[in-house]
Amino acid sequence: MTHKFLFPVWLVIAALPGLGQDRLYPVTTTKGFPIVLTTDRSSFVVEKAFQHKLTLGYPSDGRFRPDTEAPLIVLWLRVQSLSPRPMELSTAEFTCKDEDGRTCSALTPEEATNRILAEDSGSLGTKTLRSLSLGRVGGKPSEDQLRADLQRYSLQSSQILPSGVKEGMIYFEKPPRKNYTVSITLGDLWSQPFVFSTSRQK
């Protein structure tokens, strides 16, 4: 039997309640650049004239989010080229510090994937795997399938063609406490830090 209508994996996951990652909110008292937020107030939007436009925030509804208790900060970054020339995107320059100035290590997609898989001792019973199985015909995905999905929706270092767009998840170590504030810097993409907190601003 041919299945004509299959919900994308990310749509199934985004619809699930109680996701494991901490939801982070933009801190709009950040100084150094004009504050622009998306309509749902979940992300910063900034632009370097004739170079690129950035949108950074918590993965909004409709985007892939792994449902895991692994201690990670997960954000979604969209980079839109405004240049007539190709641009190089390097995620290796991304950094994160908490409110006490301690560094929260940036994680590669491979490192984040390994931690998500290890969250339940690497078994195929993790919440992420159970979530992904809802979006697949034929039952639970394998570890290799999950790894491929996480890699697909993670932002990778690459070249962006003129007027092109690259987007995906970026990852950092989570501070060892429930409530925290972090400053995210994106290397040469933007000189000022983007500040996020687990507490929503009034």
Side-chain angles (χ1 to χ4, degrees):
M1 178 179 178
T2 301
H3 296 268
K4 294 178 64 177
F5 302 102
L6 301 180
F7 288 106
V9 171
W10 57 263
L11 185 58
V12 174
I13 292 178
L16 294 173
L19 296 174
Q21 284 75 48
D22 294 332
R23 179 178 286 273
L24 295 180
Y25 302 95
V27 176
T28 55
T29 55
T30 305
K31 300 183 185 301
F33 58 90
I35 297 298
V36 179
L37 298 178
T38 52
T39 54
D40 61 3
R41 301 185 65 81
S42 67
S43 304
F44 287 109
V45 181
V46 295
E47 182 176 318
K48 273 189 177 181
F50 309 110
Q51 296 186 50
H52 52 258
K53 179 179 180 180
L54 308 176
T55 305
L56 176 66
Y58 184 77
S60 60
D61 292 342
R63 295 199 183 281
F64 180 96
R65 291 196 301 265
D67 183 15
T68 176
E69 295 296 337
L72 303 174
I73 291 173
V74 180
L75 294 172
W76 190 276
L77 175 62
R78 184 179 191 270
V79 183
Q80 177 183 357
S81 172
L82 305 176
S83 171
R85 296 180 297 277
M87 64 174 287
E88 297 297 328
L89 171 65
S90 174
T91 61
E93 299 178 348
F94 297 174
T95 64
C96 176
K97 290 187 177 181
D98 68 11
E99 64 268 37
D100 296 322
R102 288 189 288 261
T103 297
C104 304
S105 299
L107 302 174
T108 65
E110 292 79 11
E111 290 170 330
T113 297
N114 289 338
R115 294 190 184 204
I116 290 169
L117 290 173
E119 176 258 328
D120 195 28
S121 301
S123 73
L124 296 185
T126 64
K127 291 194 299 179
T128 298
L129 286 168
R130 289 199 299 271
S131 300
L132 283 169
S133 69
L134 298 176
R136 293 184 184 274
V137 173
K140 188 181 297 182
S142 68
E143 182 175 316
D144 287 343
Q145 288 170 325
L146 172 60
R147 189 177 295 275
D149 283 328
L150 287 167
Q151 292 291 313
R152 183 180 309 116
Y153 292 104
S154 296
L155 187 65
Q156 311 276 355
S157 296
S158 61
Q159 185 180 81
I160 304 179
L161 296 177
S163 302
V165 173
K166 295 287 184 180
E167 61 182 325
M169 295 180 292
I170 60 174
Y171 311 92
F172 302 93
E173 295 267 12
K174 173 185 169 182
R177 53 190 175 277
K178 182 177 180 180
N179 297 313
Y180 54 86
T181 298
V182 290
S183 298
I184 309 294
T185 57
L186 301 178
D188 292 337
L189 290 177
W190 196 261
S191 60
Q192 299 294 327
F194 298 88
V195 181
F196 291 88
S197 175
T198 51
S199 300
R200 184 194 292 270
Q201 289 190 318
K202 296 181 180 179

